[in-house]
Amino acid sequence: MNGLLPALGYGVAYGLVGTLVLIGSWYVLDLLTPGRLGDTMRESHSAALVGATWMVTQGAILFTAIWTNAGSGLGTELVWTVAFGAVGVLLQTAAFWLVDLVTPGRLGAEVVEPGPVRPLARLSAGVMVAVALVVVASIA
């Protein structure tokens, strides 16, 4: 019972940090696409797929960073979580730009097109998963 309060404190601290990193990463994805991504999701299945994949993969990176560090305490361990979260956002952004660079048209514009999921959105989602797996492996 003695360790309950510190453990709850760690949970709150890591939960807040993880949530803030996720919110920040959402805004980065929003900047990569024209218009407000949240608004386009109402009509674009591609935007919904890319947005959901982005958040799940960022969550996986944060989960792994927290899982491997949170038991040790706060301080440096919390910084590691933020650092790996930032690395995940940066690498996902680079991957988005690379997919945009090597494919025809503009990926951001294609992602927000109304209607069914477009092939480039599927490719982008797959690349996000691959990048997240690499980051997760580098943490563990």
Side-chain angles (χ1 to χ4, degrees):
M1 198 66 160
N2 289 344
L4 178 61
L5 288 179
L8 289 174
Y10 292 174
V12 169
Y14 281 96
L16 288 173
V17 165
T19 301
L20 290 173
V21 172
L22 285 172
I23 291 168
S25 76
W26 177 262
Y27 282 109
V28 170
L29 180 60
D30 193 34
L31 291 173
L32 295 171
T33 57
R36 289 201 55 226
L37 187 60
D39 292 339
T40 61
M41 287 182 168
R42 297 180 192 284
E43 298 177 4
S44 171
H45 295 261
S46 295
L49 173 66
V50 169
T53 304
W54 181 277
M55 295 306 286
V56 167
T57 55
Q58 293 300 322
I61 292 167
L62 288 166
F63 168 83
T64 305
I66 292 168
W67 186 262
T68 58
N69 290 302
S72 303
L74 297 174
T76 305
E77 298 82 2
L78 200 58
V79 172
W80 278 62
T81 299
V82 172
F84 275 108
V87 165
V89 173
L90 290 173
L91 291 176
Q92 296 285 43
T93 301
F96 191 94
W97 284 338
L98 286 172
V99 169
D100 188 29
L101 184 67
V102 300
T103 56
R106 300 290 305 162
L107 178 59
E110 181 127 351
V111 163
V112 298
E113 279 289 314
V117 176
R118 308 195 45 93
L120 282 181
R122 287 187 179 103
L123 173 65
S124 180
V127 168
M128 286 178 204
V129 170
V131 168
L133 289 173
V134 169
V135 175
V136 164
S138 75
I139 297 170

